[in-house]
Amino acid sequence: MIIMNRNTSPLKPLSEEQIIKVVKNTDYNQYPDQERQRFINIYAQAYDLNPSEIEVANGSDEWIQKIIMTLGQNGVMSLNPDFVMYKVYTEQIKPELLTVDCEPDFSFDFAKVVQAIKEQKPSLFLISNPHNPTGIMFKTEELQLLVDTMAEVGGYLVLDECYIDFAEKYERPQGDNIVVLRTLSKVYGMAGLRIGLAIARGETFAKINSINHPYPLNSLSLNLASELFSDKEKLSEYKNYQFESKRQLERALAQVESLITIKPSLANYIFTYGDLAVDMAKYLIEKGFLPRTYDVPILKNAARYSIIKLDDYSILNQAIVEWKEKYRH
Ligand SMILES: Cc1ncc(COP(=O)(O)O)c(C=O)c1O
């Protein structure tokens, strides 16, 4: 099966030589101390961030869980739909995740979101930007409204920027109650190494880090991550491959835009919906592709496709054309 349901990179970013070098040089008989700081410094430099405002964990998944534990005591809210794990981790400690539903076209009415926050006063709001599953990017004003409304009720906003490297530059909202999440699982192709970062300031940073293990990530993952950033040209080529794959995915799906609705996406996946969207997804599953389909009611007519190897587009295009033929009148 060709994986299209995980929003991961179709290729690995490091050469065998690089991996061997890192494994040989990793002092895995010692606890990972300077390895952690080294990677944080490298990441901070790459994104012009303050290293003292960054901490790592096992994927942004672990951050989501820890942030719900440390900031979610008075209720956790998110959009519906959004990243599925917001609900899973919230329900580990709370009876339910509070949600605000999307509109029929999978957009969100921020006036409704603000009203829900004011009524229910959650202490934590989680939002992905670019948004999973739709791939849309929220406006700075919309996000700022969320930050300010959460501040009004004494709460925090998590801005989950898992797919930010596929998006356009945007002006981030401002506020001391914001936690930004990043990951090396997507454009950096290291999902299996579980490298997630949280960025926050002052008291917010102290709170989310209050339940940390002394060594939040293993030395091998940290050193492989540091190695990734050592060759900027290679890394940029690696990213460009995925950006090209995204363009090809857009072209592949555009062939059926008269039959299914396709959301313009700023992530490494494309969201489709409508009466025939799941029918096409099922057809593609028979042909060896694995898109993301859903069993929750709000997404029952939706399917999401993530980028694949460039070499695989010719068979994908062929399968899409075959499916389209079924509906030619
Ligand atoms: C919006 C969003 N946040 C977080 C994650 C989890 O990423 P990680 O691999 O860093 O745990 C995902 C994974 O698909 C995601 O889509």
Side-chain angles (χ1 to χ4, degrees), residues 22-199:
V22 172
V23 172
K24 275 189 178 160
N25 293 336
T26 296
D27 291 328
Y28 56 83
N29 55 326
Q30 299 300 338
Y31 288 105
D33 215 352
Q34 85 261 24
E35 289 87 349
R36 171 187 150 279
Q37 196 55 54
R38 177 167 156 251
F39 170 64
I40 287 175
N41 291 346
I42 289 172
Y43 189 88
Q45 201 182 16
Y47 286 92
D48 196 19
L49 298 166
N50 179 347
S52 68
E53 295 174 351
I54 302 178
E55 188 52 275
V56 290
N58 281 280
S60 27
D61 250 90
E62 188 182 357
W63 272 122
I64 295 162
Q65 186 186 40
K66 290 206 302 189
I67 292 168
I68 289 169
M69 287 165 76
T70 51
L71 303 179
Q73 63 285 355
N74 293 333
V76 184
M77 188 178 271
S78 80
L79 302 177
N80 184 30
D82 206 319
F83 180 42
V84 63
M85 296 311 286
Y86 298 164
K87 182 175 162 69
V88 173
Y89 291 130
T90 300
E91 289 177 356
Q92 289 175 350
I93 59 162
K94 287 268 159 204
E96 59 165 353
L97 174 69
L98 308 167
T99 53
V100 184
D101 285 352
C102 62
E103 303 303 307
D105 66 352
F106 291 93
S107 66
F108 291 91
D109 178 345
F110 276 77
K112 281 189 194 164
V113 181
V114 166
Q115 195 189 341
I117 295 173
K118 287 186 173 164
E119 277 168 18
Q120 311 206 51
K121 300 186 173 45
S123 51
L124 179 62
F125 197 105
L126 300 155
I127 187 169
S128 54
N129 193 49
H131 178 244
N132 183 359
T134 65
I136 58 176
M137 206 53 197
F138 298 108
K139 295 195 188 86
T140 306
E141 306 87 80
E142 293 170 332
L143 295 171
Q144 191 63 56
L145 193 60
L146 275 190
V147 173
D148 295 344
T149 315
M150 285 307 295
E152 254 175 71
V153 301
Y156 298 83
L157 182 92
V158 165
L159 201 50
D160 182 349
E161 294 188 343
C162 198
Y163 304 98
I164 198 66
D165 299 270
F166 292 92
E168 290 153 3
K169 280 211 162 36
Y170 82 115
E171 207 184 313
R172 203 161 280 112
Q174 300 295 313
D176 290 336
N177 59 336
I178 300 176
V179 180
V180 173
L181 295 186
R182 297 276 184 81
T183 180
L184 297 205
S185 295
K186 307 299 178 179
V187 80
Y188 292 113
M190 292 190 154
L193 297 177
R194 312 303 301 125
I195 301 159
L197 303 101
I199 307 156

Side-chain angles (χ1 to χ4, degrees), residues 258-259 276 323-329:
S258 58
L259 296 174
L276 294 176
W323 176 78
K324 193 180 171 186
E325 281 298 311
K326 290 208 297 178
Y327 294 95
R328 191 193 285 280
H329 308 293

